Amino acid sequence: LHTLFFFQPRNPIMNVNALNLKYTKIEPWSSDIDDVVKIILNYPKKRNCLSKDMMLELTNIIRAMNDAPSPTIKVIILTHDIENSKVFSSGHDLQEIYANIRDQAFLQQLFKTCNNLMMTVHNSAIPIICMVNGLCTAAGFELVLSSDLALCTKASKFMTPG
C-alpha cells in the first residue's frame, strides 16, 4: 500500500488511505497548486447519488480537512468527473430508500446523515466551491446550495422534487 498525504511533504495534513474512500476521489487541483484540493464524486454507475455511505464519506473527508492539526488547504473544490459524467449528483439513492421504506429508524438516520453533511459543508472553515457541469437534482442540489460558491457551465441543470 502507498500512503498519500496532502500535499506538503514537510507538513502532511491527512492520510487519505486512512479514510478508506469508496465513493469519492481526492486530488490536488494541480501539480503547481497544493493548497487547493478536489473532492470528486465518483459513483457514476448510480449517477453520484447520495447514499447514506457516500454522505458519511463526504462528511468525514470535509471534517478531516477542517480538523487537521496544521491545515494547509485553503479551498476545497467539490465536483464530479466532468470529462466522463454528465451528472454532478442525482440526489438521494432512491433504491436505498425504497429498500428501507418500512424501516423508520433507518430513514431517520439517513436524513440525519444528510443534514449532517449539509451542515458540515455549510459550516466548513475551508471555503467549498462546487463545480457542476451537468445534471444536479434534489439532495445533490441541496449539497451545491450548502457550499460557498457554485461554478456552473451552460450544460448545468438544477432540479428539485415537487
Side-chain angles (χ1 to χ4, degrees):
L1 290 174
H2 296 287
T3 303
L4 177 64
F5 290 94
F6 281 110
F7 277 108
Q8 297 180 2
R10 291 187 198 147
N11 187 19
I13 64 165
M14 67 183 296
N15 179 338
V16 175
N17 288 342
L19 294 173
N20 195 23
L21 303 178
K22 182 177 178 184
Y23 302 100
T24 58
K25 294 188 293 188
I26 301 176
E27 298 176 353
W29 178 252
S30 73
S31 59
D32 299 338
I33 302 172
D34 62 2
D35 57 357
V36 178
V37 174
K38 286 190 293 187
I39 302 173
I40 302 167
L41 303 179
N42 189 35
Y43 198 26
K45 73 178 184 177
K46 292 195 80 175
R47 300 179 143 228
N48 294 326
C49 65
L50 297 175
S51 66
K52 183 178 175 188
D53 289 342
M54 182 185 227
M55 291 187 289
L56 286 169
E57 187 171 298
L58 282 168
T59 301
N60 290 338
I61 292 167
I62 294 165
R63 285 182 179 164
M65 289 179 179
N66 276 277
D67 294 343
S70 302
T72 57
I73 297 173
K74 302 262 192 300
V75 176
I76 297 168
I77 306 293
L78 182 57
T79 190
H80 57 114
D81 184 351
I82 290 175
E83 310 254 328
N84 299 308
S85 174
K86 295 180 179 174
V87 180
F88 175 82
S89 175
S90 59
H92 283 293
D93 184 343
L94 296 181
Q95 289 178 333
E96 180 179 61
I97 291 173
Y98 293 143
N100 294 284
I101 200 73
R102 299 199 188 285
D103 185 346
Q104 250 344 84
F106 176 85
L107 294 175
Q108 286 177 340
Q109 187 59 44
L110 176 73
F111 292 109
K112 182 179 179 184
T113 300
C114 180
N115 183 61
N116 287 340
L117 170 60
M118 303 310 163
M119 294 308 295
T120 298
V121 170
H122 178 75
N123 293 324
S124 174
I126 302 168
I128 298 177
I129 300 171
C130 285
M131 288 181 55
V132 181
N133 181 36
L135 185 64
C136 181
T137 64
F141 188 21
E142 185 180 352
L143 182 60
V144 172
L145 293 173
S146 299
S147 71
D148 296 290
L149 182 67
L151 299 177
C152 309
T153 67
K154 290 180 181 181
S156 302
K157 292 185 171 87
F158 298 89
M159 292 182 254
T160 60

